Amino acid sequence: MIVGDLLTLEDLHIELAWGTAELLDRQVTGVTSTDLRDPARYLQAGELVLSGLVWWRPDDASAALRFATALRSAGVAALLAGEGTHGAVPESLVAACRLHGIPLLSVPAATSFRAVTDRVYLRLWGDLQAGRPGVAAIPETVRRELLALLAPLPAGAPLDEVLAHAVTRLGLPDCSIRTTGGRPLACSTDAPGAPVGSPVPIGGPGDCPFDGWLLQPHAAGASPALLHGLADLLAPLAVAARVAAEDRQYRAAELLARLGQDGADLSDSLAAAGLPVGTQLVPVRACCGDGPAVGALADALEGVPFAVAADGAGGAVALVAAEPAAVAARLRAAAPRLREVLTDRRPLRFGVGPAAAALPERLRGALVQAAFALEAGGEAGVGSSAELGSLAALLRGVPAEVTSAFQDRLLAPLADHDREHSVSLLDTLRCFLDHDASWSRTAEALHVHVNTVHYRIRRIEDLTGRSLSRLEDRLDLRAALLCGPLAA
């Protein structure tokens, strides 16, 4: 594919703002979206660069030149400038691109960057895969049929339909497509059999272990050449999905950055991130050791409107347009299959906050609760602020260093006593509190005389300096028992 091919895609309405015939013959290797002022470090030679020009300001005369200089240093093929932000491509950017010899194409506001990206990758993979051995095993007529079904993206035929057509025309057994995280994407039949053999990767591995695609046959006897050929033809869909996910993360990061501004109107940022405007949102936090928390959270939430990005501390944060209970249920259902991908046993945990209005100050408070729910944990490693209904649940969210120090201050004398004596005062205290400070029921549970219970409780009070006749002291000691190893 060359840069000039973009001008032949009539449905995208891309026009030439500046460029010579020689420059339009440049080969294209890929496409990336950015609105950074200096994106050079994130670009590859031969790429098309899509930019909404958010970085450009009329009062900054050097902005366009700096941006074009960064593109030239990276050796990009061309710049595609969106007209949605400023209504037209700025003349200063045209001049900067002319100076540095960078073809400049304009993208009208009505054409989405996602549509441009999908068409580019479909064209690239259609060109590059035609001569590969696996694709060569597919009859040319079938290859053309499948490419016709795939284009134009993203308005092409549903993936189920494409897959069903492919297995029928190629004589393959029923197949399914899933993510490397285990999420089903498509199946050629409503009643697939059990997977047979190893799946075939589609589109190559991604940067995240959860975002790859796999083609899985459900019966023996499938031709490996045909399976790999079909995977190559489907590769543009997998690549486009990864690019779209990266773009969504970029928009989500912009939205989350605006949460630091009290009173900010989030409408534009919400719409750009794919979230509905005027509805409550549920914040979610995720951590995966030093692993890919963003990818895990995105895979788990797919199917409901959400925006997810890195939190800057090794984890991920998302805003979801759904009810908190539904979000928690979705995460619990996805957690087992996601953990199977983490072969190094990194812990994967989620925290769900309460629904909040789409206002910076409201969402910030809800995010704090989501972070606490993450630390508190819960069923399947998913904590929810709505489920923090007990002292034990509340304490699980307190940092271990704090709970350990609190427990040591209150219970260290009892622990020291128990190490030197056969009678456990800690067990007596726990039993006494479990039985609502009832002397008789505690004696019955411990199989001792009630006078023995009285003696042990007095000893506990002497060692701790607390009175078990006072509710406040009983609560303090109960909390200490629930902290750390002694709670087991």
Side-chain angles (χ1 to χ4, degrees), residues 57 95 195 238 274 374 435 480:
R57 293 288 183 273
L374 171 71
H435 289 86

Side-chain angles (χ1 to χ4, degrees), residues 96-174:
C97 287
R98 182 184 295 112
L99 176 65
H100 286 306
I102 301 170
L104 176 61
L105 285 69
S106 62
V107 181
T111 299
S112 72
F113 281 8
R114 169 73 184 276
V116 176
T117 298
D118 286 343
R119 291 298 297 278
V120 169
Y121 274 108
L122 178 62
R123 182 65 178 266
L124 284 174
W125 280 90
D127 292 346
L128 295 175
Q129 305 304 314
R132 297 184 68 174
V135 178
I138 295 179
E140 181 63 19
T141 55
V142 179
R143 191 178 79 87
R144 291 180 181 274
E145 290 173 10
L146 294 175
L147 288 177
L149 284 173
L150 293 173
L153 292 173
L159 188 54
D160 286 321
E161 181 181 331
V162 174
L163 188 58
H165 184 87
V167 300
T168 299
R169 295 288 280 116
L170 296 173
L172 289 168
D174 282 319

Side-chain angles (χ1 to χ4, degrees), residues 308-454:
V308 62
D311 64 4
V317 60
L319 298 176
V320 190
E323 292 297 323
V327 174
R330 177 179 287 271
L331 294 173
R332 286 181 179 128
R337 64 173 173 81
L338 296 174
R339 290 194 181 99
E340 288 183 3
V341 180
L342 299 170
T343 54
D344 53 2
R345 300 183 182 276
R346 283 175 289 189
L348 176 61
R349 298 181 292 119
F350 302 101
V352 181
L359 300 171
E361 53 273 19
R362 296 287 182 85
L363 288 173
R364 286 202 303 268
L367 279 166
V368 171
Q369 294 190 54
F372 192 87
L374 171 71
E375 297 302 325
E379 181 185 348
V382 180
S384 173
S385 61
E387 298 167 359
L388 294 177
S390 69
L391 178 60
L394 186 66
L395 288 172
R396 285 198 299 269
V398 178
E401 295 82 358
V402 176
T403 56
S404 177
F406 176 76
Q407 183 185 71
D408 187 65
R409 280 195 294 271
L410 270 67
L411 300 182
L414 303 185
D416 292 341
H417 171 278
D418 288 358
R419 280 191 289 268
E420 299 177 2
H421 300 82
S422 59
V423 173
S424 173
L425 294 182
L426 284 170
D427 288 345
T428 301
L429 175 61
R430 185 179 292 107
C431 185
F432 185 69
L433 296 176
D434 286 345
H435 289 86
D436 303 319
S438 169
W439 305 97
S440 59
R441 285 191 288 139
T442 301
E444 182 179 354
L446 293 174
H447 306 290
V448 298
H449 193 275
V450 70
N451 289 341
T452 303
V453 176
H454 278 277

Side-chain angles (χ1 to χ4, degrees), residues 165-217:
H165 184 87
V167 300
T168 299
R169 295 288 280 116
L170 296 173
L172 289 168
D174 282 319
C175 296
S176 61
I177 299 174
R178 60 177 173 84
T179 66
T180 47
R183 178 168 52 87
L185 296 171
C187 189
S188 62
T189 177
D190 293 334
V196 175
S198 300
V200 178
I202 299 174
D207 296 331
C208 169
F210 301 107
D211 64 4
W213 284 19
L214 300 172
L215 174 65
Q216 177 70 65

